[in-house]
Amino acid sequence: MTTDPLLPVPRLAIIVVAAGSGTRLRGAAPKAFVGLDDRTILRHAVDGVFAGPLAQVVVVAPAERVGDALTDARAAAGERHDLVSVVAGGDTRQQSVAAGLHAVWADVDLVLVHDAARALTPPEVFERVVGALRAGHDAVLPVLPVIDTIKRVDAGAVVEAVDRSALAAAQTPQGFRRVVLDEAYAEASVDHTDDAALVQAAGGDVWTVAGDERAFKITTPGDLDRARALLGAEATGDGDASRPAPATVAIPRVGIGTDVHAVGGEGALWLAGLEWPGEQALHGHSDGDAVAHAIVDAVLAAAGLGDIGTHFGTDQPEYAGAHAAAFLARTRQLVEAAGFTIGNVSVQVQARRPRLSARRGEAEAVLTAALGAPVALSATTTDGLGFTGTGEGVAAFAVALVVPR
Ligand code: CTP
Ligand code: MG
């Protein structure tokens, strides 16, 4: 790499790892190449790097995206595009960092490793990490205090509460004396989730500095909405008293679900989470509870997680004969793992029988408890028309609202 002899050559390098696929984000492109506004996550991350201390910048990208990454990195670097290079990453984050380390210039003595996914990290965090390295620490980790009460859980049961004052949430950029990081990588035999863990496993001491809320990692679709909302607030001049406060809440999402089952199954009727003695059962792989299944479809659709067949296929024997509670509890887990909270569900059943009105409150309580969010149930007959009117089958229609966290 040639650099202009008149420009300063930094002794600091920042490796920006952007080679992940973004499985949990489920975007159309690898995570770093998903747009936040008119700029990608990677572009924002490298913009942030260039707003901090002068450094050689090594971007680690998926092999098939090296060209795109170079375009973003050079645009962020502006006149100092002599400082940027892009290399292809590996299958794990650790392999990607190792690839980046190989591209660090010989006379660099401090190395920061930063997740591109922490695209909105402010320059102060970079300055704090570099400051602590210059003050003599070998390894520096930005952290945030843990706010939630933390429990140790085993197979669904709480084992104990964990003292959160002894805990901290790790962020990036993580900074290292180059020789310390090089040696730790040369020795590494197992995979670590971050570089501070790897250095510590090699016997190094890690010092902490304050992280920043804005350095959160974009992992789920909810995180993406949060990042976009923060950028939107900046663009509209957040903090300017003459303007209305911009909405920084993530935008809720709706989903729709429908299910139909024919009358004539074995055993008792199960509908809306309740057993209906004396009523004719419905056909179905599980208990044929069209109300529960319509809710599942609506909630999954709202979170962009496909539909009931995606997660509860006939190849899953544990759901054969299962009742509403099992389906709804699992749906809630799936949606929460994807970064959403369920707001509410409205479901309407069309059936000649049973008469739901007498047990509506009971059904709503069962469905609400299983889903962990309010479920409102309404019912109608269809004036004798169609298969629901003749009593050949039951149909249910649900609308769900989920909110990105
Ligand atoms: N990363 C990388 N190479 C990999 C895996 C991850 O460079 N083989 C980078 C990601 O691009 C990201 C950072 O490491 O900037 C943190 O990883 P993570 O947030 O887990 O991103 P992904 O692995 O892309 O996402 P997911 O785990 O959801 O697939
Ligand atoms: Mg990952």
Side-chain angles (χ1 to χ4, degrees), residues 85-246:
S85 56
V86 178
V87 298
D91 289 341
T92 63
R93 183 184 181 282
Q94 194 161 312
Q95 288 171 10
S96 294
V97 175
L101 263 178
H102 283 123
V104 170
W105 292 334
D107 45 6
V108 162
D109 53 17
L110 301 179
V111 176
L112 267 51
V113 182
H114 185 46
D115 291 336
R118 300 182 188 274
L120 304 185
T121 305
E124 305 88 87
V125 184
F126 291 88
E127 301 286 2
R128 277 199 289 274
V129 172
V130 171
L133 290 172
R134 296 213 163 114
H137 295 286
D138 281 348
V140 180
L141 173 71
V143 293
L144 282 184
V146 173
I147 293 160
D148 292 325
T149 296
I150 304 288
K151 310 278 187 188
R152 197 180 309 282
V153 176
D154 184 22
V158 173
V159 179
E160 59 179 354
V162 180
D163 176 12
R164 70 176 170 225
S165 66
L167 299 175
Q171 297 189 317
T172 74
Q174 300 181 1
F176 307 89
R177 211 157 293 292
R178 188 217 189 127
V179 51
V180 170
L181 193 60
D182 276 346
E183 278 173 12
Y185 265 87
E187 280 177 25
S189 52
V190 293
D191 208 52
H192 296 274
T193 51
D194 68 3
D195 309 286
L198 187 142
V199 164
Q200 200 162 27
D205 289 330
V206 181
W207 183 250
T208 62
V209 295
D212 192 291
E213 294 282 355
R214 289 164 291 176
F216 70 96
K217 184 155 73 74
I218 301 172
T219 305
T220 64
D223 297 329
L224 190 63
D225 287 344
R226 179 177 168 201
R228 287 175 175 159
L230 283 169
L231 287 170
E234 264 172 34
T236 52
D238 192 19
D240 178 347
S242 65
R243 296 171 194 267

